[in-house]
């Protein structure tokens, strides 16, 4: 079946299937990680919808909204190759009323870890995701584990607001050398990319340990030798993103954010004690 491109709500409504629908929300600049989300979505529903929308609400002052990579024609090729049924690519004017006043608050959980560094970021994320859920009306939505706090907050929003959509988290896809795939990787120079490998090395060093204190210590030591400008390194509960104590048992997220040159990257791994 030919790929349908819906540029507005009316086009989307015409394209929507009467069967089960899986949504993969993206900001475009699609890579192999996005392809993995599409493949998982294809296995879960009769129709796969991919949204391509660079959401202005989740960028703060001085962030990279204006230069965020926009590769729409190539993105369409990726979606066609993966058997996507519909690409929803609205304009900002179509997504947001000019007199918009109401949005979603990410609450206390949205103000810690990544949210402490990027105030208001998760409010913007949850607002656009809720709007996409309302417009697409998916049965299931697939998100990457690489954005672990985003995934946790979306699950919390679905639970708190009783939204009729199943949230599926997909594993992080990495380059052969361990660098997590990200649309922002294309900003990196050759030297920057070499330096950025310290992120995955730190996470692997931490994940090789068997207790929370040693996980933190091993990852911190690896980062200290890297020369990266680290925003945070945390070991947190995957559902709440609260720091776990040294006596913790169960699954935790070891998450890191750092700046490599002018590029800010995030990464994480799951650790079980």
């Amino acid at each position: 079946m030919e790929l349908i491109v819906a540029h507005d709500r009316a086009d989307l409504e015409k394209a929507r299937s009467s069967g089960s629908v899986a949504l993969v929300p993206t900001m475009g600049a699609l890579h192999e990680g996005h392809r993995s989300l599409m493949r998982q979505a294809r296995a879960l529903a009769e129709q796969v919808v991919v949204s391509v929308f660079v959401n202005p609400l989740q960028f703060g002052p001085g962030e990279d909204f204006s230069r965020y990579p926009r590769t729409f024609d190539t993105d369409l090729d990726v979606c066609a190759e993966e058997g996507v049924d519909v690409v929803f690519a609205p304009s900002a004017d179509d997504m947001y009323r000019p007199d918009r006043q109401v949005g979603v608050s990410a609450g206390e959980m949205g103000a810690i870890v990544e949210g402490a560094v990027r105030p208001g970021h998760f409010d913007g994320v949850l607002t656009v995701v809720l709007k996409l859920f309302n417009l697409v009306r998916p049965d299931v939505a697939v998100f990457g584990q690489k954005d672990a706090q985003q995934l946790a907050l979306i699950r919390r929003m679905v639970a708190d607001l009783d939204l009729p959509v199943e949230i599926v988290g997909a594993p992080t896809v990495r380059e052969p050398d361990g660098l997590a795939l990200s649309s922002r990787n294309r900003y990196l120079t050759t030297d920057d990319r070499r330096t950025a490998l310290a992120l995955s090395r730190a996470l692997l060093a931490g994940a090789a340990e068997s207790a929370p204190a040693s996980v933190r210590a091993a990852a911190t030591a690896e980062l200290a030798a890297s020369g990266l400008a680290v925003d945070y390194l945390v070991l947190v509960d995957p559902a709440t993103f609260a720091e776990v104590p040294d006596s913790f048992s169960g699954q935790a997220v070891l998450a890191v954010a750092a700046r490599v040159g002018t590029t800010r990257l995030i990464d994480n791994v799951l650790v079980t004690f």
Side-chain angles (χ1 to χ4, degrees):
M1 192 169 99
E2 186 176 351
L3 175 67
I4 298 171
V5 181
H7 287 287
D8 56 34
R9 299 162 188 240
D11 289 345
L12 178 64
E13 189 61 31
K14 290 176 187 175
R16 193 186 182 283
S17 170
S18 59
S20 58
V21 177
L23 171 65
V24 180
T26 83
M27 292 206 301
L30 303 178
H31 50 65
E32 190 61 34
H34 295 110
R35 287 180 184 267
S36 73
L37 304 183
M38 296 174 202
R39 292 167 192 158
Q40 188 152 355
R42 170 54 62 202
L44 295 171
E46 297 166 86
Q47 184 182 63
V48 175
V49 178
V50 171
S51 63
V52 175
F53 179 63
V54 183
N55 176 33
L57 295 192
Q58 67 191 70
F59 290 81
E63 293 188 346
D64 59 344
F65 174 72
S66 61
R67 73 181 183 112
Y68 192 86
R70 291 162 170 85
T71 58
F72 188 63
D73 290 342
T74 303
D75 293 343
L76 291 184
D77 291 341
V78 170
C79 290
E81 290 166 7
E82 294 301 331
V84 169
D85 300 292
V86 180
V87 169
F88 180 44
S91 67
D93 289 341
D94 197 60
M95 282 297 286
Y96 298 118
R97 295 167 53 100
D99 59 347
R100 183 190 70 87
Q101 296 187 35
V102 177
V104 179
S105 169
E108 292 181 7
M109 186 176 163
I112 59 176
V113 190
E114 185 73 2
V117 181
R118 303 180 68 189
H121 168 70
F122 289 119
D123 293 353
V125 170
L126 295 187
T127 296
V128 77
V129 169
L130 180 58
K131 288 178 72 68
L132 288 170
F133 286 173
N134 287 334
L135 291 167
V136 178
R137 305 193 304 281
D139 300 279
V140 59
V142 185
F143 295 86
Q145 174 64 34
K146 188 177 89 62
D147 295 293
Q149 190 171 3
Q150 170 181 283
L151 177 60
L153 277 160
I154 289 168
R155 284 179 166 147
R156 185 61 186 261
M157 178 177 72
V158 166
D160 286 356
L161 300 184
D162 299 309
L163 302 178
V165 56
E166 177 188 358
I167 304 302
V168 173
T172 300
V173 178
R174 299 180 180 277
E175 298 281 5
D177 58 11
L179 185 68
L181 289 180
S182 168
S183 298
R184 290 184 169 95
N185 286 354
R186 65 189 66 201
Y187 297 159
L188 300 173
T189 66
T190 301
D191 288 343
D192 287 344
R193 197 184 183 289
R194 192 177 301 114
T195 302
L197 294 177
L199 293 175
S200 56
R201 287 200 305 269
L203 295 178
L204 288 174
E209 300 296 326
S210 57
S214 56
V215 166
R216 292 185 181 98
T220 298
E222 187 69 42
L223 286 176
S226 70
L228 289 169
V230 178
D231 283 340
Y232 59 77
L233 173 72
V234 293
L235 186 64
V236 296
D237 185 305
T240 66
F241 260 64
E243 288 264 14
V244 301
D246 288 347
S247 58
F248 180 80
S249 63
Q251 190 173 69
V253 174
L254 180 62
V256 64
R259 297 180 187 276
V260 186
T262 61
T263 304
R264 187 172 183 275
L265 299 176
I266 63 171
D267 200 355
N268 70 86
V269 293
L270 296 173
V271 185
T272 303
F273 301 104

